[in-house]
Amino acid sequence: MQKRQLHIKYGNKAKDMVYDLLDKLNIASDIDKRNSLIGIKPNLVLPSPSNKGATTSPDLVEGIIRYLQDNGYNNIVILEGAWVGASTEKAFEVCGYNELSRKYKIPLIDLKKDKYKKIDVEGLSLKVCQKALEIDYLINLPVLKAHCQTHLTCALKNLKGCIPDPEKRRFHRLGLHQPIAYLNKVLESKLVIVDGIIGDLTFEEGGNPVQMDRIIIGQDPVLIDTYCAALIGYSKNDISYIDIANEIGIGSSNLEEAEIIEHNPGYKSDKDFYHSTLVKKLARKVTEDKSCSACYGSLIHALKRLEEKGIEPKEKIFIGQGFKGLSESGIGIGNCTSGFSKNIKGCPPSAKAIIDYIISQQ
């Protein structure tokens, strides 16, 4: 796999999806030695099941472990430090990671209990957990979700779990963006696998889950965050740490030079979209008929970002396979509504594409 590539697979069967894609990409060939210490860093910000939108699915992690062990890699650890005020041990338990640890004999490392080292990055001193620094091959497993302060929390921000609690507080005093970017200069994500199956619409702690039905794999966390920002309705300019990370050489934020490979385009959901109270409110002007979660999720993120801007669509919105071959007066979302005079192409389109089109029609 090349660093400028992003690989996307749609679906909701995380375990099989990630195993198949890792195997297809021959990721094992990127790991130098069989005894390399492989660290899996999920997002377990607090004790909350992954279907609430805040944490990395244990099924995704299980698929990765199975792939690594089937290829002869057994020196694997799972490491995490929950956010300030939450128990990592409790998160391991509630999120299903204790069971994974027992089943595959994988140690769980609570970074809240770890020692740290001070490391200088371009004049900024950072405290980083010792165990995270010892990893030879770091697999970064963020959840695709919004954040109340930085708008997006994904690959770059996920490494914040690798610093001690007092340092997490200091990151906030420093404004989050610069230290988040600089931390990625210390800890290199060799592989990023985004859990985009269920994330959250507004907050990092979940509560308004949005089913997006996809995983995204790449080696450049800056490129991944740039791509994922658009999926939930933001541009890279809305998230300062993306630009900072690009400037200091962590990766590239130039999506025009990226090769985006969809391994099963046209995927159709076999699972109903979860409609929270907030989602129902946002979708009050939407007519839906047999829509896929991946497409509907993009629309919901778009409607939330528009609401934040004080913009309400003037026309009715249509989405779903039930509108194939039909033409209605309104805005059609995705390729299934290509017969509409006003149509936003994509299967699925990004939230950013939906936002840009609706604003252009105001």
Side-chain angles (χ1 to χ4, degrees):
M1 181 171 60
Q2 298 176 12
K3 198 159 185 178
R4 67 184 182 87
Q5 291 180 336
L6 296 180
H7 295 265
I8 296 95
K9 189 159 188 174
Y10 297 99
N12 50 54
K13 296 176 175 61
K15 193 187 308 182
D16 295 333
M17 288 164 60
V18 73
Y19 189 104
D20 292 346
L21 195 47
L22 291 174
D23 188 51
K24 186 172 185 177
L25 297 174
N26 192 23
I27 292 299
S29 65
D30 293 336
I31 308 173
D32 292 337
K33 302 174 183 176
R34 284 287 186 272
N35 64 347
S36 293
L37 179 58
I38 300 172
I40 295 175
K41 167 60 178 77
N43 186 324
L44 304 180
V45 64
L46 77 170
S48 176
S50 60
N51 62 5
K52 301 297 184 182
T55 56
T56 305
S57 166
D59 288 344
L60 186 67
V61 178
E62 184 171 5
I64 295 165
I65 292 170
R66 283 179 50 201
Y67 171 78
L68 292 171
Q69 291 187 343
D70 285 353
N71 282 274
Y73 296 94
N74 293 292
N75 193 14
I76 306 166
V77 298
I78 297 172
L79 65 165
E80 174 63 305
W83 71 357
V84 176
S87 165
T88 311
E89 289 185 343
K90 187 69 173 175
F92 281 144
E93 177 186 346
V94 171
C95 299
Y97 284 71
N98 285 348
E99 184 179 344
L100 277 181
S101 175
R102 289 189 294 267
K103 183 175 180 179
Y104 293 98
K105 298 179 173 57
I106 303 292
L108 301 176
I109 297 175
D110 181 356
L111 293 176
K112 285 177 178 279
K113 299 178 178 179
D114 195 22
K115 297 178 181 178
Y116 64 82
K117 276 189 174 182
K118 287 185 178 180
I119 298 178
D120 184 80
V121 183
E122 301 193 16
L124 180 65
S125 179
L126 301 177
K127 295 174 182 175
V128 183
C129 293
Q130 178 69 44
K131 291 292 185 182
L133 293 167
E134 294 172 359
I135 299 299
D136 297 313
Y137 190 92
L138 179 61
I139 302 177
N140 185 350
L141 295 179
V143 179
L144 174 60
K145 55 183 176 176
H147 188 273
C148 63
Q149 291 173 282
T150 59
H151 298 314
L152 170 76
T153 174
C154 200
L156 292 163
K157 191 176 179 299
N158 192 42
L159 296 190
K160 189 166 170 272
C162 296
I163 59 176
D165 278 2
E167 189 73 340
K168 290 171 187 167
R169 295 189 188 96
R170 190 172 78 98
F171 268 39
H172 282 268
R173 293 197 299 273
L174 293 171
L176 283 177
H177 291 279
Q178 184 191 34
I180 285 171
Y182 281 30
L183 178 60
N184 282 264
K185 195 85 169 177
V186 179
L187 298 174
E188 181 185 359
S189 297
K190 298 288 189 180
L191 184 69
V192 180
I193 304 174
V194 179
D195 182 351
I197 295 174
I198 299 178
D200 196 80
L201 182 64
T202 51
F203 296 114
E204 61 275 24
E205 70 267 36
N208 287 300
V210 177
Q211 191 174 328
M212 298 287 279
D213 274 2
R214 71 198 74 194
I215 60 172
I216 302 154
I217 295 182
Q219 294 177 326
D220 182 341
V222 181
L223 194 64
I224 279 184
D225 276 10
T226 305
Y227 177 77
C228 287
L231 292 183
I232 67 169
Y234 292 107
S235 74
K236 64 181 181 180
N237 296 328
D238 294 320
I239 301 147
S240 297
Y241 64 71
I242 292 178
D243 283 336
I244 297 170
N246 178 74
E247 289 169 5
I248 64 174
I250 304 300
S252 170
S253 62
N254 190 344
L255 274 181
E256 292 182 1
E257 293 183 355
E259 183 182 3
I260 298 171
I261 303 164
E262 296 178 297
H263 289 263
N264 56 340
Y267 155 80
K268 305 303 179 187
S269 303
D270 58 0
K271 188 175 181 181
D272 291 337
F273 188 88
Y274 172 74
H275 291 76
S276 68
T277 301
L278 178 56
V279 168
K280 289 177 182 177
K281 178 186 172 186
L282 290 168
R284 60 189 178 275
K285 293 189 72 171
V286 174
T287 300
E288 182 270 340
D289 187 3
K290 301 184 185 71
S291 66
C292 297
S293 299
C295 198
Y296 199 87
S298 291
L299 174 59
I300 294 302
H301 275 290
L303 293 172
K304 180 58 181 172
R305 305 290 91 81
L306 287 166
E307 181 187 68
E308 291 166 356
K309 296 174 183 290
I311 297 172
E312 183 171 349
K314 293 179 179 178
E315 299 180 74
K316 198 155 190 176
I317 295 171
F318 297 81
I319 185 170
Q321 300 169 63
F323 294 106
K324 281 187 175 181
L326 301 179
S327 179
E328 299 283 347
S329 177
I331 298 174
I333 306 296
N335 292 349
C336 290
T337 60
S338 60
F340 286 44
S341 58
K342 295 182 178 179
N343 169 251
I344 304 169
K345 293 180 173 58
C347 188
S350 70
K352 185 67 168 59
I354 296 171
I355 291 166
D356 290 346
Y357 186 90
I358 289 175
I359 289 176
S360 74
Q361 299 297 305
Q362 296 296 103

